[in-house]
Amino acid sequence: MSDDAAFDSERWRAELEEKRAEKEEFFADHPQSPVPPEDRDGFEGLEFFEPDPQYRVRATVSLADDPAADPVYMETTTGGEVRYLRTVTLAFDLERDDPDLADGTFELSGYEQEGSAAGTLFVPFRDKTTGQQTYEGGRYMELSADDDLTGGDEIVLDFNLAYTPFCAFSEAFECPLPPAENWLEVAIPAGEQFE
């Protein structure tokens, strides 16, 4: 979790740009890149929305009473299915400078896969940019809490870190598709683009 009073936008921007450059280098050169080897010479880099601190929001955490009692089965890009546990709901406000973009309070669910590292939340989502400026299968965020979360806690949700799943670059990967409860009826022009 982060303290907004100590938020340094210049440092945040520099760290974000550094992460983006590292990721592009990984995609271009690393043997485990999702870009197929035959396509790497033509890889021109990833596309991103401009860093925007309006899309770094604080979300209020609500914990699920018994995640195992109501598992979520996410369809995958290859027609399969993956079982996740909905462990939290994250409620957040968007207040933006652009009058053409809707503001309001929204919710996303955070999931854990059984057997995954505790404290890491998987947040797949779709929004009004999906299939237009971003990948048609949705985007992902992964959140880590410094401490065990309790109801009413706040956690930083930074959509500037939203990324395109590997299956967008190669059919060799199978990716979960965001469930309907994580379809936002609003545009989130932040993070990775994909056209």
Side-chain angles (χ1 to χ4, degrees):
M1 287 186 274
S2 175
D3 180 2
D4 276 354
F7 177 63
D8 179 338
S9 64
E10 293 304 315
R11 181 177 173 187
W12 166 82
R13 182 181 294 269
E15 289 175 354
L16 181 62
E17 296 286 9
E18 184 178 335
K19 285 178 186 173
R20 289 178 171 185
E22 288 173 0
K23 185 166 187 176
E24 287 196 304
E25 185 178 326
F26 173 84
F27 271 52
D29 301 326
H30 198 279
Q32 293 180 329
S33 167
V35 178
E38 63 274 15
D39 296 338
R40 289 182 195 158
D41 285 345
F43 177 69
E44 296 180 0
L46 299 169
E47 295 181 46
F48 299 94
F49 290 102
E50 281 296 313
D52 189 341
Q54 289 183 106
Y55 294 101
R56 181 189 179 276
V57 298
R58 295 188 72 79
T60 303
V61 173
S62 297
L63 298 180
D65 290 332
D66 184 4
D70 187 23
V72 176
Y73 293 89
M74 295 185 199
E75 294 181 20
T76 70
T77 51
T78 61
E81 197 173 65
V82 184
R83 183 177 190 258
Y84 280 87
L85 303 180
R86 181 191 309 101
T87 56
V88 300
T89 301
L90 305 167
F92 60 96
D93 294 325
L94 281 179
E95 297 176 10
R96 300 181 281 188
D97 297 335
D98 188 336
D100 294 331
L101 296 174
D103 292 340
T105 300
F106 303 93
E107 288 187 350
L108 286 172
S109 292
Y111 309 92
E112 292 181 10
Q113 198 166 13
E114 287 180 295
S116 65
T120 300
L121 296 174
F122 175 53
V123 184
F125 71 98
R126 292 174 56 102
D127 67 285
K128 291 293 188 181
T129 71
T130 301
Q132 299 176 56
Q133 296 166 289
T134 61
Y135 176 55
E136 64 186 4
R139 291 183 288 165
Y140 297 167
M141 288 186 290
E142 290 173 2
L143 307 177
S144 296
D146 296 337
D147 305 305
D148 288 338
L149 293 172
T150 58
D153 280 352
E154 289 191 336
I155 189 168
V156 171
L157 192 59
D158 191 344
F159 287 98
N160 293 277
L161 300 174
Y163 65 93
T164 304
F166 280 8
C167 52
F169 303 93
S170 171
E171 293 180 357
F173 294 92
E174 179 180 27
C175 301
L177 297 169
E181 65 188 12
N182 274 18
W183 293 14
L184 296 173
E185 293 298 319
V186 66
I188 306 286
E192 284 186 26
Q193 297 187 59
F194 188 87
E195 296 183 48

